[in-house]
Amino acid sequence: MNSPNLEDMGCGTSSATKDKKSEKALKAALVIQNWYRGYRARLKTRQRYALTIFQSIEYADEQGQLQLSNFFSFMLENYTHVQEKEPGLVTRLFGSSIQDKDRQDYLELIEIPDSYCGPRLQFPLTFTDIDLLIEAFKQQQILHAYYVLEVLFETKKVLQQMPNFTHTNTSPSKEITICGDLHGKLDDLFLIFYKNGLPSVTNPYVFNGDFVDRGKNSMEILMILFVSFLVYPNDLHLNRGNHEDFMMNMRYGFTKEILHKYKLHGKKILQILEEVYTWLPIGTIIDNEVLVIHGGISESTDLNLLHRIERNKMRSVLMPPIPMDGDRAEKKNKLGTTTVAQGIRTSGSFSEQLTKQEWEQVIDILWSDPRGKRGCYPNTNRGGGCYFGPDITSKILNKYQLKILVRSHECKPEGYEICHDGKVITVFSASNYYEEGSNRGAYIRMSSGTTPRFFQYQITKATCLRPLYQRVNAIESSAIRMLKERMISRKTDLIRAFQLQDRNKSGKLSMGQWAFSMENVLGLNLPWRSLSSHLVTTDKDGNIDYMSGFQDVHIQKPVKEVQSTLIETVYRYRSDLQIIFNIIDSDHSGLISMEEFRSMWKLFKSHYSVHIDDSQFDELAERMDLNKDGSIDFNEFLKAFYVVHKFDQLTKSDTKLA
């Protein structure tokens, strides 16, 4: 009997069908995979554009902050009777290093009430105080002002004994951890300690500056770091960043945080903190091979000189050295502009400041950024320090027999970045720096003879991370919101630039004309063509309705009769004005006289070439003197200028209707 033919029974057909189905499934999987890769790439591009917006606006703000140094010189030359009426103001701005304050003068009048239920520190401090502080801050308790001042005084005393660069050594069995900017983000510090362990003799750390500002828990971070430093002074190393600067704190939030949390003794804390900053070391050198500094280097960086300078004379980047006595002196400063001093006299002398060369060396260390382009050229984005290329890195490292430069200062999407053929490492430890989901944080572990290891993390309030598209939408929305606020603050200038291009008065421009005008006025170096769909409407021919960019946003007018140009100007310069008023307001009362208010505005208007009639500002000032006592609460005055987004109003309306 013949055996049955399997093909005749249909088995072969079934196998072929299966092969065809498998092939179709594979093709479908590849199509889906390619689609998803493209979708994810588009999301990542959107995220990258959003981060570019955040960073461009951040750097533009820093540039404005650095330009204030010229204004303070100008102010001292022109502020009527400033030296006779306000000698303390001159000393605060350009005087010698701060006189030592007696600890008892600060502490003897401060009592810790029995009702205080926060952490109580025991001096001399031990590792149990670190634990105590961390647990208290996790419970959102506030450390009493008495202990804050004690910690600051003790920290200053120990820092004064330290060199400008801390030298430390590792071994294969004793790695060191390097953390970058924390910027008041306490949860990131908690996570680092949870994953990596608390500082100790066997677990040393370097914290590479910018502990404070921007985040809401700068004081808590500072106290944890200072207490840990006092317990382990040889194993926890603190480098100064560009935000360890009392003038930067006025703009970026830490001063406000201190005065809010310590209403009675905040002024004392600020005074001592200003001194502590000046004594923080400039950098750390690990195993004589790794240079750890906050910002970067320049072609003229001289580590031998930086080892010798009296670092405590560097009070603020906004206070470049100028002659304190004598005739007119003119010079170029590191910020690339000319400052002029004429006959300014204080109790200090020129010898009590850093020299111009020393000051510029420190500016480079705190403010510079690496770039792929060779050479060394001005850091035009930030307005201070320089951009340094791979050739500069090799030159400086070789000159001092070093192998690696570890720096921070720049937010990176993954928390760290390696460049210049592996010789420069950027580490940034504040996750969600711009917006939740905007970036990871990271820290580095390294030891002699081993490759650096990177550890990444991202704090999230939710139990699990939101999908990527939701995170990108939130980041993008926040970035566009900031950009529109920037646009509305320059509305008059932008419209003038648009109209110059719009010769037919059609209300429309080509994409190229619009992008050129945006960059020319705002100077943010952004991909305007790619961003146009988020900012303006475009017709079917690709022409842009340039007024559409202002339709859904406006600056709230505290006084309706005041012209829009004045409102835009005050809004645009509100951060600068707040710092200037804070400097005048030496007792932190929040009040300045109408006369001082007008005088400062006239000087500001003159220096910044603001073309607005004084009568408009006078009328605005009088309207803002609510109780007619001749004084203005300048913080409330500046808060009155804010941007209203129509989308926000619609959201609120929807919420009410729901």
Side-chain angles (χ1 to χ4, degrees):
M1 187 177 176
N2 296 330
S3 14
N5 190 311
L6 291 177
E7 271 192 42
D8 291 343
M9 296 178 67
C11 294
T13 306
S14 175
S15 175
T17 304
K18 283 182 181 177
D19 287 344
K20 286 181 181 178
K21 284 183 178 178
S22 297
E23 189 178 340
K24 283 184 179 179
L26 183 60
K27 284 182 179 178
L30 288 171
V31 168
I32 292 170
Q33 186 182 62
N34 288 335
W35 173 86
Y36 180 73
R37 283 175 176 169
Y39 170 72
R40 190 174 177 86
R42 288 191 295 275
L43 285 177
K44 286 291 185 182
T45 300
R46 286 170 55 195
Q47 184 178 28
R48 189 169 65 251
Y49 281 155
L51 291 179
T52 302
I53 294 171
F54 283 128
Q55 201 162 60
S56 294
I57 292 175
E58 177 190 4
Y59 291 173
D61 284 344
E62 288 182 344
Q63 188 178 99
Q65 173 83 349
L66 292 171
Q67 288 170 353
L68 273 177
S69 62
N70 290 330
F71 175 76
F72 290 130
S73 296
F74 178 81
M75 181 178 79
L76 292 178
E77 294 165 41
N78 294 277
Y79 189 24
T80 309
H81 307 308
V82 66
Q83 295 177 56
E84 292 81 4
K85 293 173 70 174
E86 296 284 352
L89 175 61
V90 181
T91 303
R92 181 157 170 75
L93 288 175
F94 290 101
S96 59
S97 56
I98 309 160
Q99 294 179 350
D100 286 338
K101 310 288 193 305
D102 183 74
R103 180 189 300 223
Q104 288 310 114
D105 290 345
Y106 280 84
L107 297 176
E108 63 185 3
L109 299 177
I110 302 178
E111 291 186 0
I112 304 174
D114 294 336
S115 59
Y116 171 68
C117 56
R120 293 177 182 266
L121 303 180
Q122 299 290 326
F123 291 86
L125 298 166
T126 66
F127 67 91
T128 57
D129 292 292
I130 303 175
D131 281 331
L132 181 72
L133 212 52
I134 289 173
E135 290 307 312
F137 290 156
K138 283 180 179 177
Q139 302 300 318
Q140 299 183 345
Q141 294 177 359
I142 301 291
L143 183 64
H144 196 278
Y146 181 91
Y147 295 120
V148 171
L149 287 166
E150 280 270 48
V151 169
L152 291 177
F153 275 112
E154 282 296 314
T155 301
K156 178 190 166 191
K157 186 169 76 173
V158 178
L159 287 174
Q160 285 175 319
Q161 311 305 314
M162 300 187 69
N164 292 346
F165 287 83
T166 308
H167 289 254
T168 187
N169 292 306
T170 65
S171 66
S173 61
K174 185 182 178 180
E175 290 185 309
I176 193 166
T177 301
I178 305 172
C179 299
D181 302 34
L182 285 166
H183 280 300
K185 292 191 169 284
L186 186 59
D187 286 340
D188 286 304
L189 182 61
F190 286 157
L191 185 61
I192 291 168
F193 285 162
Y194 174 77
K195 290 167 66 77
N196 196 60
L198 291 174
S200 69
V201 174
T202 57
N203 193 26
Y205 278 84
V206 177
F207 286 92
N208 197 25
D210 280 13
F211 322 126
V212 301
D213 278 335
R214 301 188 187 280
K216 63 181 181 180
N217 293 113
S218 294
M219 176 55 79
E220 287 76 11
I221 284 180
L222 210 57
M223 286 297 102
I224 290 172
L225 295 183
F226 284 171
V227 167
S228 300
F229 167 71
L230 291 172
V231 176
Y232 301 109
N234 298 318
D235 301 289
L236 188 133
H237 310 285
L238 301 172
N239 292 343
R240 187 175 185 177
N242 62 306
H243 279 264
E244 279 67 62
D245 182 312
F246 78 100
M247 296 292 286
M248 295 292 286
N249 295 165
M250 287 182 185
R251 187 186 192 112
Y252 293 105
F254 190 31
T255 298
K256 187 176 179 181
E257 177 188 331
I258 290 172
L259 293 174
H260 174 72
K261 290 178 178 176
Y262 297 97
K263 293 179 174 63
L264 286 178
H265 306 292
K267 181 183 174 184
K268 294 178 180 179
I269 292 170
L270 288 170
Q271 287 174 336
I272 304 307
L273 188 58
E274 186 178 334
E275 295 183 58
V276 174
Y277 283 160
T278 67
W279 287 106
L280 285 167
I282 299 168
T284 304
I285 297 176
I286 303 170
D287 297 321
N288 293 318
E289 293 181 344
V290 180
L291 174 64
V292 186
I293 51 177
H294 181 72
I297 54 178
S298 73
E299 60 187 351
S300 59
T301 293
D302 185 342
L303 293 184
N304 294 325
L305 174 62
L306 285 164
H307 271 83
R308 295 193 306 268
I309 67 167
E310 296 178 70
R311 67 180 184 275
N312 61 302
K313 293 179 180 178
M314 180 68 171
R315 296 183 54 219
S316 173
V317 67
L318 295 184
M319 303 300 145
I322 63 170
M324 289 294 166
D325 298 283
D327 298 324
R328 185 182 184 87
E330 185 174 301
K331 62 184 183 59
K332 285 270 185 180
N333 66 27
K334 190 67 181 181
L335 308 182
T337 47
T338 302
T339 54
V340 180
Q342 184 173 11
I344 298 172
R345 294 178 176 273
T346 73
S347 57
S349 69
F350 191 59
S351 64
E352 291 174 321
Q353 305 176 84
L354 292 179
T355 66
K356 178 175 177 286
Q357 181 191 8
E358 291 170 339
W359 184 79
E360 290 180 345
Q361 288 275 320
V362 178
I363 293 295
D364 286 338
I365 290 288
L366 297 182
W367 281 88
S368 296
D369 296 308
R371 288 294 180 267
K373 179 182 171 184
R374 290 172 61 84
C376 185
Y377 41 103
N379 193 328
T380 50
N381 280 353
R382 294 187 191 268
C386 72
Y387 294 128
F388 60 99
D391 54 324
I392 303 300
T393 296
S394 295
K395 172 189 166 185
I396 298 298
L397 292 182
N398 291 339
K399 181 178 179 180
Y400 297 102
Q401 283 114 39
L402 298 165
K403 293 182 178 178
I404 297 175
L405 167 61
V406 178
R407 43 90 60 179
S408 302
H409 196 43
E410 285 184 288
C411 176
K412 298 297 178 183
E414 297 302 317
Y416 74 94
E417 186 176 87
I418 303 171
C419 63
H420 293 187
D421 300 317
K423 293 177 181 177
V424 173
I425 299 173
T426 298
V427 60
F428 195 86
S429 298
S431 68
N432 309 307
Y433 178 59
Y434 295 116
E435 185 73 28
E436 185 171 357
S438 64
N439 65 285
R440 290 168 147 184
Y443 58 87
I444 307 169
R445 284 182 68 88
M446 60 168 55
S447 64
S448 178
T450 63
T451 303
R453 296 186 295 144
F454 300 92
F455 297 83
Q456 299 165 287
Y457 53 85
Q458 191 158 19
I459 297 290
T460 177
K461 294 173 184 174
T463 52
C464 61
L465 210 58
R466 287 182 296 170
L468 179 62
Y469 78 92
Q470 288 185 3
R471 282 179 280 149
V472 170
N473 285 344
I475 295 164
E476 187 177 65
S477 174
S478 180
I480 295 298
R481 180 190 179 93
M482 285 181 68
L483 189 51
K484 288 210 164 191
E485 290 178 7
R486 202 82 180 186
M487 289 170 60
I488 200 67
S489 74
R490 301 297 299 272
K491 181 179 178 181
T492 302
D493 296 331
L494 282 169
I495 291 174
R496 189 181 298 119
F498 294 149
Q499 289 175 343
L500 281 173
Q501 298 277 345
D502 181 19
R503 293 175 182 173
N504 298 326
K505 300 189 184 329
S506 64
K508 293 185 177 181
L509 294 176
S510 70
M511 179 69 76
Q513 290 173 320
W514 177 81
F516 173 81
S517 300
M518 290 291 285
E519 184 56 37
N520 200 36
V521 173
L522 298 180
L524 294 175
N525 194 27
L526 289 172
W528 295 110
R529 293 169 184 269
S530 300
L531 295 170
S532 61
S533 61
H534 297 283
L535 302 173
V536 286
T537 56
T538 308
D539 67 18
K540 60 181 185 191
D541 298 320
N543 294 316
I544 286 174
D545 175 1
Y546 53 79
M547 291 303 292
S548 63
F550 308 111
Q551 286 175 355
D552 60 349
V553 61
H554 71 272
I555 302 172
Q556 184 68 29
K557 285 188 178 184
V559 178
K560 289 184 180 179
E561 294 80 4
V562 176
Q563 292 184 12
S564 296
T565 309
L566 175 58
I567 299 299
E568 288 172 27
T569 302
V570 175
Y571 178 78
R572 182 160 79 247
Y573 290 113
R574 67 197 184 284
S575 296
D576 297 330
L577 289 168
Q578 188 160 30
I579 291 172
I580 293 164
F581 292 146
N582 266 306
I583 287 289
I584 300 169
D585 177 33
S586 56
D587 64 353
H588 298 290
S589 67
L591 300 173
I592 57 173
S593 71
M594 191 72 79
E595 181 186 352
E596 287 175 320
F597 195 69
R598 288 187 176 119
S599 297
M600 276 301 105
W601 170 254
K602 286 176 182 176
L603 286 177
F604 187 86
K605 187 184 80 162
S606 172
H607 184 69
Y608 282 82
S609 301
V610 173
H611 304 292
I612 292 175
D613 187 71
D614 286 341
S615 61
Q616 288 186 51
F617 191 79
D618 287 345
E619 182 184 355
L620 179 61
E622 286 173 12
R623 295 286 189 99
M624 297 303 291
D625 180 13
L626 300 177
N627 58 3
K628 306 302 177 187
D629 65 350
S631 296
I632 289 182
D633 183 329
F634 60 84
N635 288 308
E636 289 303 316
F637 172 80
L638 294 171
K639 277 183 194 172
F641 299 84
Y642 59 93
V643 170
V644 175
H645 295 259
K646 284 186 180 177
F647 176 76
D648 291 346
Q649 293 179 324
L650 290 171
T651 304
K652 287 176 183 175
S653 301
D654 293 344
T655 304
K656 287 177 183 175
L657 290 170

